[in-house]
Amino acid sequence: MSEMALVERVPALLRERAFRRYWIGQTVSLTGDQISLIAIPLAAVLILGADAAAMGWLKTAELLPTLLFNLPLGAWADRQAHRRRAMIAADMARAALVLTLPVAYALDALTLGQLYAVAFGIGALTVLFEVCNSTLLVALVPSERYVQANALVNGSRSMSWLAGPGIGGVLVQVLTAPFALVADALTYLVSAGYLARIRPVEPPPAPVAKGHFTEGLRWVLRESSMRALFAASGTLQFFNYMFHTLFVLYATAELGIGAGLLGLILGAGAVGGLLGAVFAGPVVRRIGIGASLIVGFLGFTLPLLLIPLAGGPLPLVVAVMFTAEFLSCIGVMIADVAGGSLQMALIPDAVRSRVMGAYRTLNHGFRPLGALAGGLLGTAIGLRPTLWIATAGAVLAVLWLLPSPLPRMRELPTREEESVPVG
């Protein structure tokens, strides 16, 4: 194949220097996040002897910032002229926080309290990064390439799911959990370095006016398409976390799947996610943005009905689980690419960070509720019946989309159609 043919096969956005630098930085950083997801809990368990209660507090410290800070930081970000600088500062601060853990371990001073504080701090800084990121990405990408941009970013996320846990596991094995976190700190520095090398023209800051703090949430409630998408996403988050709270216990205790085999099953999901990101663009072009969103929701949720259905000989059980994870992750990527592109096109720049802050608050707010419901129901009625409720409830989330304008929406709305209602 000629050099020219190879260049033509590279996605158009990756041939543009600014987006390519942004994408490389985020790809590296997402892989580092997966290392932390393994290394920090392992540091708690293996180094500090954390019990179930301590692990619960650690997870709470990680999730709490999304509930506390998305709305206020979204409001703050919309008033800033230079969101990119805030993202660089967040990356640098996350690197510094992560590095305190191996330093404390080397000094024999590592404590669970420090792990909680670092998890909370990283969570808060990640919220800041993400509410600014939604505006920066729109500034980098022309509207006709929103779908391609979301496919590339979500493809990076799938690659991180595939490679990150394996890299993290090897690093923990070779270096011990605290020192493995040095690699995560380096990925934040790489992200900051690439962000420092781009100069997008960011939208002007929103003026401070009465109702500024809640305008993002009020905009969502007024806009029928986004209202339906947020309701469907929130419902899906609730039932999905009910499912994931019990999935590992169900797979190991009731189905007899070992840890190594379970890891391979989850790896099949990561491969499916990567393929979903590759095919999302062609699917959107073929059937339209609204239909793709519905296909993605159903493609994500319907295969998971196979999980509580699994039974019989172990090879059959494993085949069913592989199929469910693989197909489900293809579906979730199509939904994420279509939904992310719709949000980029539909949300006005003046309220973008506030809307995304409201979106993340609602979505993440349903996660602990779903996890709690899963634990209570699993104890009361058993694992398999609860998984039937969780998977069936997730499928029904698509009903929020059907009465909205979304099923009839073929093309993304244009930037000229954006407006911010007064009031």
Side-chain angles (χ1 to χ4, degrees):
M1 186 179 293
S2 68
E3 183 177 345
M4 181 62 69
L6 283 171
V7 170
E8 290 176 352
R9 292 178 68 90
V10 175
L13 276 175
L14 292 184
R15 297 199 293 270
E16 296 180 7
R17 181 179 299 174
F19 181 85
R20 184 172 66 248
R21 288 174 173 173
Y22 166 86
W23 178 78
I24 291 172
Q26 295 316 295
T27 300
V28 173
S29 182
L30 286 167
T31 303
D33 290 343
Q34 294 299 313
I35 295 172
S36 280
L37 285 177
I38 288 180
I40 290 180
L42 285 178
V45 173
L46 300 179
I47 306 298
L48 301 174
D51 58 14
M55 295 303 290
W57 283 112
L58 182 61
K59 194 65 177 177
T60 300
E62 175 190 329
L63 293 175
L64 192 58
T66 63
L67 297 177
L68 296 179
F69 300 134
N70 265 299
L71 282 175
L73 287 178
W76 178 87
D78 271 338
R79 297 198 301 268
Q80 307 308 306
H82 302 290
R83 289 88 164 179
R84 181 183 62 92
R85 294 179 184 174
M87 294 168 67
I88 293 171
D91 270 337
M92 300 291 286
R94 286 190 289 185
L97 274 178
V98 169
L99 285 174
T100 66
L101 298 178
V103 170
Y105 177 67
L107 297 174
D108 198 24
L110 185 64
T111 65
L112 281 172
Q114 183 181 357
L115 283 183
Y116 300 154
V118 168
F120 183 87
I122 290 174
L125 290 164
T126 299
V127 170
L128 173 61
F129 186 95
E130 291 299 333
V131 295
C132 294
N133 188 32
S134 60
T135 300
L136 185 73
L137 183 56
V138 172
L140 283 168
V141 179
S143 58
E144 66 272 13
R145 292 183 181 167
Y146 285 168
V147 172
Q148 185 179 98
N150 278 281
L152 288 167
V153 171
N154 281 284
S156 294
R157 185 169 288 109
S158 291
M159 286 191 289
S160 75
W161 293 345
L162 189 61
I167 295 172
V170 170
L171 289 174
V172 169
Q173 186 73 29
V174 173
L175 302 175
T176 72
F179 288 122
L181 290 167
V182 173
D184 186 28
L186 292 176
T187 65
Y188 287 130
L189 296 178
V190 169
S191 173
Y194 275 101
L195 286 173
R197 298 172 65 194
I198 62 176
R199 295 290 188 275
V201 179
E202 300 183 44
V208 179
K210 184 179 179 180
H212 177 87
F213 183 83
T214 59
E215 178 57 34
L217 184 57
R218 288 186 287 118
W219 185 88
V220 170
L221 295 177
R222 287 191 296 258
E223 215 296 321
S224 57
S225 295
M226 292 302 296
R227 185 171 66 241
L229 180 58
F230 279 28
S233 297
T235 303
L236 187 57
Q237 290 285 347
F238 177 85
F239 286 108
N240 196 38
Y241 267 72
M242 182 188 294
F243 170 85
H244 279 291
T245 297
L246 303 177
F247 174 73
V248 172
L249 181 60
Y250 169 76
T252 55
E254 290 206 7
L255 299 182
I257 296 174
L261 193 53
L262 184 59
L264 291 176
I265 291 170
L266 295 175
V271 173
L274 188 57
L275 287 176
V278 170
F279 290 120
V283 169
V284 170
R285 288 193 295 272
R286 178 78 175 179
I287 66 175
I289 193 73
S292 298
L293 193 59
I294 292 171
V295 166
F297 264 76
L298 292 176
F300 175 26
T301 57
L302 283 173
L304 294 180
L305 291 170
L306 294 172
I307 302 293
L309 189 64
L314 184 60
L316 176 61
V317 168
V318 171
V320 169
M321 300 282 277
F322 261 101
T323 302
E325 283 291 318
F326 181 78
L327 294 178
S328 178
C329 286
I330 291 177
V332 75
M333 278 298 152
I334 293 174
D336 282 350
V337 169
S341 302
L342 179 65
Q343 291 172 25
M344 289 176 71
L346 200 57
I347 301 171
D349 285 336
V351 293
R352 187 174 300 280
S353 292
R354 282 170 286 172
V355 170
M356 294 311 298
Y359 176 78
R360 287 170 58 84
T361 298
L362 292 173
N363 268 349
H364 288 265
F366 281 111
R367 291 179 178 184
L369 295 177
L372 178 62
L376 293 175
L377 275 177
T379 302
I381 66 176
L383 299 180
R384 195 185 295 264
T386 303
L387 289 177
W388 276 117
I389 293 172
T391 51
V395 172
L396 294 177
V398 76
L399 294 179
W400 289 106
L401 302 178
L402 299 182
S404 76
L406 289 170
R408 300 177 296 280
M409 186 181 294
R410 181 163 184 86
E411 302 294 336
L412 288 172
T414 62
R415 304 291 287 171
E416 289 75 19
E417 294 169 359
E418 295 179 347
S419 62
V420 183
V422 178

